[in-house]
């Protein structure tokens, strides 16, 4: 053994011993967290190095100051359903088609609060050129918009051509809800909220012609018709405190979505084409082409560009 090796070996042994001791200490802390009101650490452990607890230890709310938080109880609502995905930028990052969702799941809706009291001005379902994945509820700009259930804010974002200012909340019952076209957002990303909390003010931002709330309910990224859960015709209460998600009924609309996708038609721009010429050749109008392709009537076309015509 060289002299360098002789010096390194004892150091390695020491490092290994202290790592083992640290792992044991972690184990003790974890055991203490579960099933006790308070965490008691022995005097030689300086608690402030490990955990900050608020008074409510029953909800396991705590912050970890070092690097073993991946081993601790769930941080986000329903994270086992959502495979631990907590993206703050995409509404549906889960890539789980409706027919891969476990069939017949009961959702506890008992704490439900109607987000706004207004009537439905537009139903869930097929539009001429797209699909409407929520319901629109009438409101006045500045009206309070309330969270439907308790949970945690996953997305706060702005889409000029879509939802405008919007909020997405993951709920403790496994659902996610979307609140679109807000004039002002009053919650922060990752904020924990209760059913009925004000999350923002209604408005008409984004793709909207009059003030309303665009409200969606989703499970693992797949939209559920809120009118299946909420009795909008009769005061906006629930049909049932337990809502049963089934592939056959809840997601029956997906077949219509598929038909709509299959009926799309495209056209490749040729030399000398104008929007007017393409419209008349395909039995549509310039307005429709612009809407379908999200372009303006003055957009410059390039050869070979693919335009949706139906
Ligand atoms: Zn809408």
């Amino acid at each position: 053994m060289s002299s360098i090796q002789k010096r390194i070996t004892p150091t390695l042994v020491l490092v290994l011993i202290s790592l083992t001791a640290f792992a044991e200490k972690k184990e003790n802390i974890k055991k203490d967290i579960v099933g006790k009101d308070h965490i008691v650490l022995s005097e030689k452990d300086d608690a402030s190095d490990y955990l900050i607890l608020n008074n409510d230890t029953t909800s396991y709310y705590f912050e970890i100051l070092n690097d073993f938080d991946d081993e601790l109880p769930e941080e986000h609502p329903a994270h086992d359903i959502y495979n631990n995905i907590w993206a703050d930028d995409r509404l549906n990052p889960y890539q789980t088609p409706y027919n891969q969702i476990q069939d017949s799941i009961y959702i506890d809706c008992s704490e439900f609060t109607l987000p706004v009291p207004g009537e439905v001005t537009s139903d869930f379902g097929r539009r001429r050129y797209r699909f409407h994945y929520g319901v629109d509820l009438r409101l006045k700009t500045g009206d309070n918009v309330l969270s439907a259930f308790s949970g945690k804010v996953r997305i706060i974002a702005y889409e000029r051509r879509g939802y405008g200012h919007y909020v997405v909340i993951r709920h403790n019952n496994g659902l996610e809800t979307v609140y679109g076209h807000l004039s002002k957002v009053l919650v922060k990303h990752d904020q924990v909220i209760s059913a009925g909390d004000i999350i923002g003010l209604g408005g008409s931002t984004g793709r909207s012609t009059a003030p309303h709330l665009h409200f969606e309910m989703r499970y693992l990224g797949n939209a559920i018709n809120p009118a299946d859960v909420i009795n909008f015709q009769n005061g906006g209460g629930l049909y049932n405190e337990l809502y049963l998600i089934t592939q056959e009924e809840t997601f029956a609309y997906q077949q219509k979505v598929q038909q709509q996708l299959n009926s799309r038609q495209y056209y490749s721009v040729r030399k000398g084409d104008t929007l007017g010429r393409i419209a008349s050749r395909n039995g549509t109008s310039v307005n429709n082409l612009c809407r379908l392709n999200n372009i303006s009537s003055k957009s410059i076309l390039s050869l070979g560009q693919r335009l949706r015509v139906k």
Side-chain angles (χ1 to χ4, degrees):
M1 198 182 261
S2 75
S3 64
I4 286 182
Q5 275 176 317
K6 274 180 203 160
R7 261 181 281 134
I8 287 176
T9 311
T11 318
L12 264 177
V13 170
L14 269 178
V15 167
L16 282 174
I17 289 171
S18 42
L19 276 177
T20 314
F22 183 62
E24 275 169 16
K25 208 151 63 176
K26 275 162 65 179
E27 210 36 57
N28 290 337
I29 292 170
K30 277 170 65 185
K31 272 184 216 140
D32 280 335
I33 288 169
V34 178
K36 275 195 182 179
D37 291 329
H38 303 285
I39 293 181
V40 182
L41 293 165
S42 62
E43 265 177 30
K44 61 180 177 178
D45 291 318
D46 181 0
S48 63
D49 284 339
Y50 299 98
L51 302 162
I52 295 174
L53 288 161
N54 72 358
N55 294 329
D56 178 19
T57 51
T58 54
S59 65
Y60 300 134
Y61 177 82
F62 47 80
E63 261 182 69
I64 305 303
L65 288 182
N66 51 33
D67 59 1
F68 54 86
D69 54 350
D70 54 343
E71 295 178 30
L72 287 153
E74 72 179 66
E75 185 185 354
H76 303 301
H79 88 150
D80 44 339
I81 296 171
Y82 286 85
N83 294 320
N84 243 332
I85 297 168
W86 184 257
D88 64 3
D89 54 347
R90 274 164 306 148
L91 175 56
N92 182 7
Y94 312 118
Q95 298 186 321
T96 308
Y98 77 98
N99 52 13
Q100 281 174 32
I101 291 176
Q102 186 202 327
D103 203 14
S104 302
I105 300 156
Y106 278 101
I107 302 290
D108 177 1
C109 295
S110 54
E111 57 176 5
F112 173 73
T113 306
L114 190 64
V116 296
E119 68 187 284
V120 176
T121 55
S122 183
D123 289 321
F124 179 97
R126 191 182 165 154
R127 290 282 174 282
R128 203 155 161 216
Y129 299 108
R130 59 201 169 91
F131 202 91
H132 190 231
Y133 287 107
V135 294
D136 293 344
L137 297 167
R138 193 192 300 282
L139 51 66
K140 290 199 285 292
T141 296
D143 281 355
N144 290 336
V145 173
L146 315 178
S147 177
F149 307 102
S150 59
K152 193 171 182 179
V153 177
R154 180 164 73 82
I155 301 177
I156 291 174
Y158 177 71
E159 262 181 22
R160 193 167 62 89
R161 289 173 183 271
Y163 293 115
H165 289 290
Y166 70 101
V167 172
V168 178
I169 301 174
R170 168 93 56 83
H171 300 292
N172 303 335
N173 64 8
L175 292 180
E176 290 194 318
T177 51
V178 182
Y179 308 80
H181 309 305
L182 303 175
S183 60
K184 195 172 167 90
V185 171
L186 297 172
V187 286
K188 293 191 167 63
H189 180 243
D190 277 357
Q191 188 174 329
V192 174
I193 46 174
S194 302
D197 281 357
I198 299 172
I199 54 164
L201 304 179
S204 189
T205 55
R207 187 183 188 138
S208 168
T209 49
H212 71 279
L213 176 71
H214 173 85
F215 175 64
E216 292 183 13
M217 285 178 145
R218 290 179 180 249
Y219 182 83
L220 256 177
N222 289 275
I224 294 171
N225 184 351
D228 286 351
V229 184
I230 304 161
N231 186 351
F232 288 108
Q233 263 76 47
N234 196 1
L238 294 177
Y239 286 111
N240 203 318
E241 289 198 343
L242 281 181
Y243 175 69
L244 177 64
I245 297 178
T246 64
Q247 285 182 12
E248 204 176 299
E249 289 182 31
T250 309
F251 301 119
Y253 73 87
Q254 296 267 14
Q255 278 156 10
K256 288 183 201 156
V257 173
Q258 211 47 53
Q259 282 166 10
Q260 196 170 8
L261 288 173
N262 293 342
S263 69
R264 288 181 175 190
Q265 283 178 24
Y266 292 87
Y267 173 88
S268 293
V269 176
R270 300 174 207 165
K271 206 175 171 190
D273 271 345
T274 62
L275 277 177
R277 206 172 291 174
I278 294 169
S280 66
R281 193 176 289 164
N282 291 282
T284 184
S285 67
V286 170
N287 270 348
N288 284 344
L289 286 179
C290 291
R291 202 173 330 169
L292 284 172
N293 296 282
N294 238 340
I295 56 176
S296 102
S297 58
K298 296 189 181 77
S299 292
I300 294 167
L301 303 174
S302 48
L303 277 184
Q305 182 180 346
R306 269 164 65 80
L307 288 177
R308 191 177 153 196
V309 294
K310 251 183 197 153

